[in-house]
Amino acid sequence: MSSSEEPPAAKPESALKSFISGGVGGICVVLVGHPLDLIKVRMQTGAAGESASVFGMFANTFAKEGVRGLYRGVSAPLVAVTPMFAVSFWGCVSIGHCDCNLASST
């Protein structure tokens, strides 16, 4: 294979872009899923005495604690999940398992 037929080497900034993109994706996953996970855990621990349904627990939590109550304890999942997604996405892009082309974006 001649040098003109080889694919261009990955630019260093594309590795950084993929790492940051994975981290942002991890943050989005946690921010979307955490309220539902919080409701699930509260129902499993027996805090659902007065409202046994998911919607009842959600409404009760929102009424008593507001939006901040739905995100209570979100810091631990953010710290755990963000680097995991960042490294996973970076690894997939680095070894070519991802079909996205971060190097071509300008």
Side-chain angles (χ1 to χ4, degrees):
M1 186 181 243
S2 69
S3 63
S4 63
E5 295 176 9
E6 292 178 11
K11 296 180 181 178
E13 71 258 6
S14 69
L16 181 62
K17 283 182 187 178
S18 65
F19 187 80
I20 292 172
S21 298
V24 170
I27 290 170
C28 291
V29 165
V30 171
L31 292 179
V32 168
H34 186 76
L36 297 173
D37 190 49
L38 179 85
I39 298 300
K40 174 195 67 135
V41 169
R42 288 189 177 182
M43 291 181 79
Q44 288 174 337
T45 58
E50 65 278 352
S51 55
S53 72
V54 173
F55 295 113
M57 178 59 79
F58 183 86
N60 189 24
T61 302
F62 187 75
K64 287 183 180 177
E65 302 175 41
V67 175
R68 291 187 70 183
L70 295 173
Y71 287 96
R72 185 173 308 279
V74 76
S75 59
L78 277 176
V79 169
V81 171
T82 302
M84 182 175 61
F85 271 70
V87 170
S88 296
F89 195 73
W90 169 75
C92 285
V93 170
S94 295
I95 61 174
H97 280 291
C98 182
D99 196 20
C100 59
N101 192 357
L102 295 173
S104 69
S105 63
T106 55

